Amino acid sequence: MNFDFSDDQKMLKEQVRKFLADKCPMKVVRRVLDGDETHAAEVWAGMAELGLMGTAIPEAYGGTGLGPLELCVIAEELGRACAPVPFSSSVYLATEAIKRWGSEAQKKAWLPRLADGSAIGTLATAEGPQAPTPKSVRATFADGKLNGIKVPVADGEAATVAVVLVNSGGTGARSLSLALVDLTNGGVARTRVATVDPARKHAQITFSDAKAELLGGKGKGVQLLNELYDGAAVLFAFEQIGGAEAAMWMGRDYALQRQAFGRVIGSYQAIKHKLADVYVKTELARSNAYYGAMMYAEGGADLPIAAAAARVAATDAYDFAAQENIQTHGGIGFTWEADTQFHYRRSRLLALAIGGPTAWKEKLVTRLERKNAA
């Protein structure tokens, strides 16, 4: 059994890496972090020219008709570059939801625009710091109208369409549904909110009788989100692995040129051990992510377990690599001028996307218990 990517997929990975190295160096990430723009528009436009947003969209809807494995290699390179673009919100989440559960009319309306990058999607579930539950979701959907507040919403300012978790009436989990909303229509107000990583802007979105449509059927919100998150967890894991590896090499490169007491600090055992520990965690996470990718691509029965394992391992690896990178740089690593901050910020942001580490560890344990009891 071959767990590696194909030659074509490796070629795509190399193409994306070269593009991002040329068009998205750290100075671009810093510009977006320090500035008011919602994302690096020129990078997004270049990605659209390469057809990256349409990677997993069928050709009938304007995409390239590839699949999850191609998205995995793209995600890894975006993570390596700390790319300040709304790819995860638009592609992993909104596009996938519309592709899987949208009506034919919804697919025709949105997938071609998402594929060419002229539309940007997002997923709006949270209503504050707590995880959304049937009791806590107050955004309502009735008679084609959506009312309520969602905060924080990743890439909420840049987005033109949102998949929103709403209370559509009923009891328990059956009270929650997904709604599709054109954010360019009336009844939508947006306000930027501060997060740990301003290179990926977040917003509060207020809906006031905004026109909306159900996505995937009434009362299926919890079920559909769980399915969506399993696939997205694999893609986020690859993005985190790319970031972890980049942080490791950043620390390695600094350790080979910074001198202390007449020798480069990379010659000291303490620094070697730091970098070795980062390498081990990253490669262990990669193993979990590769298995998750295989399950995602094949629709394997083990996807829920594989996705949770990949998510937990990759979150831990990126968080550890980002911290050790700062420590390896010493005092300068804590300054605003140092590029170490970008991976630290991104590691913390990605750790909370689609649920935090504790939630995913609980999912992993629960799913393993169910499998063992079967």
Side-chain angles (χ1 to χ4, degrees):
M1 185 176 294
N2 183 12
F3 285 92
D4 200 3
F5 292 107
S6 69
D7 289 342
D8 286 344
Q9 289 157 356
K10 291 177 181 177
M11 189 180 300
L12 173 62
K13 178 183 175 73
E14 187 62 28
Q15 182 184 34
V16 175
R17 181 181 295 193
K18 288 180 178 178
F19 167 79
L20 292 172
D22 181 42
K23 301 298 184 182
C24 191
M26 283 299 175
K27 66 181 181 180
V28 172
V29 184
R30 185 178 291 275
R31 187 194 80 207
V32 176
L33 183 142
D34 286 338
D36 290 330
E37 59 191 313
T38 59
H39 61 290
E42 77 281 12
V43 178
W44 187 252
M47 292 171 64
E49 290 181 7
L50 292 175
L52 300 186
M53 281 75 96
T55 297
I57 296 177
E59 294 182 29
Y61 300 105
T64 56
L66 299 175
L69 294 180
E70 286 75 17
L71 283 181
C72 287
V73 301
I74 295 170
E76 185 173 349
E77 295 311 312
L78 291 172
R80 189 185 309 279
C82 277
V85 292
F87 194 84
S88 58
S89 298
S90 191
V91 177
Y92 308 171
L93 299 170
T95 295
E96 187 64 17
I98 296 169
K99 184 180 75 173
R100 294 177 69 174
W101 304 303
S103 66
E104 189 62 24
Q106 290 168 337
K107 291 178 183 179
K108 288 181 177 178
W110 289 109
L111 290 183
R113 295 170 59 190
L114 290 165
D116 66 19
S118 60
I120 295 174
T122 190
L123 177 70
T125 61
E127 297 184 11
Q130 73 281 354
T133 66
K135 290 184 178 180
S136 68
V137 173
R138 298 182 179 181
T140 60
F141 173 80
D143 300 323
K145 301 293 184 181
L146 174 58
N147 288 277
I149 297 173
K150 290 293 179 179
V151 60
V153 180
D155 305 298
E157 284 186 291
T160 49
V161 61
V163 176
V164 185
L165 183 65
V166 296
N167 191 317
S168 55
T171 59
R174 297 290 298 173
S175 66
L176 299 183
S177 303
L178 297 181
L180 188 63
V181 187
D182 185 341
L183 297 177
T184 64
N185 287 339
V188 178
R190 308 185 229 194
T191 305
R192 182 173 297 179
V193 297
T195 68
V196 69
D197 184 5
R200 288 287 305 281
K201 300 295 193 293
H202 284 56
Q204 172 179 297
I205 304 182
T206 302
F207 301 99
S208 302
D209 284 336
K211 185 178 178 180
E213 303 171 334
L214 279 178
L215 181 70
K218 185 175 180 179
K220 295 183 178 181
V222 173
Q223 173 194 335
L224 299 185
L225 270 186
N226 284 333
E227 293 178 19
L228 181 66
Y229 282 174
D230 282 345
V234 175
L235 297 172
F236 275 113
F238 274 91
E239 190 169 335
Q240 290 168 307
I241 288 165
E245 190 172 63
M248 178 184 70
W249 290 120
M250 186 185 293
R252 192 286 306 264
D253 292 346
Y254 183 78
L256 290 180
Q257 59 92 15
R258 174 74 167 93
Q259 292 199 1
F261 305 107
R263 53 194 280 201
V264 294
I265 63 173
S267 66
Y268 291 105
Q269 191 174 55
I271 298 297
K272 292 179 181 179
H273 286 183
K274 278 181 181 292
L275 296 174
D277 289 343
V278 172
Y279 176 81
V280 170
K281 278 184 177 286
T282 302
E283 291 307 304
L284 287 173
R286 188 186 301 279
S287 296
N288 280 286
Y290 271 47
Y291 184 58
M294 185 180 74
M295 289 295 100
Y296 187 24
E298 296 179 356
D302 271 352
L303 175 60
I305 291 174
R311 173 71 171 157
V312 170
T315 298
D316 182 52
Y318 196 12
D319 181 68
F320 183 74
Q323 292 189 60
E324 290 301 294
N325 182 34
I326 292 174
Q327 293 290 337
T328 300
H329 278 72
I332 196 171
F334 291 84
T335 66
W336 188 263
E337 290 76 15
D339 288 345
T340 53
Q341 65 171 304
F342 299 123
H343 284 295
Y344 182 80
R345 291 176 182 278
R346 189 58 55 88
S347 71
R348 292 305 172 98
L349 184 71
L350 294 182
L352 297 176
I354 63 170
T358 301
W360 279 97
K361 288 176 183 177
E362 181 64 29
K363 284 185 179 183
L364 178 57
V365 171
T366 301
R367 291 168 178 182
L368 286 170
E369 287 176 340
R370 288 175 182 170
K371 182 178 180 179
N372 291 336

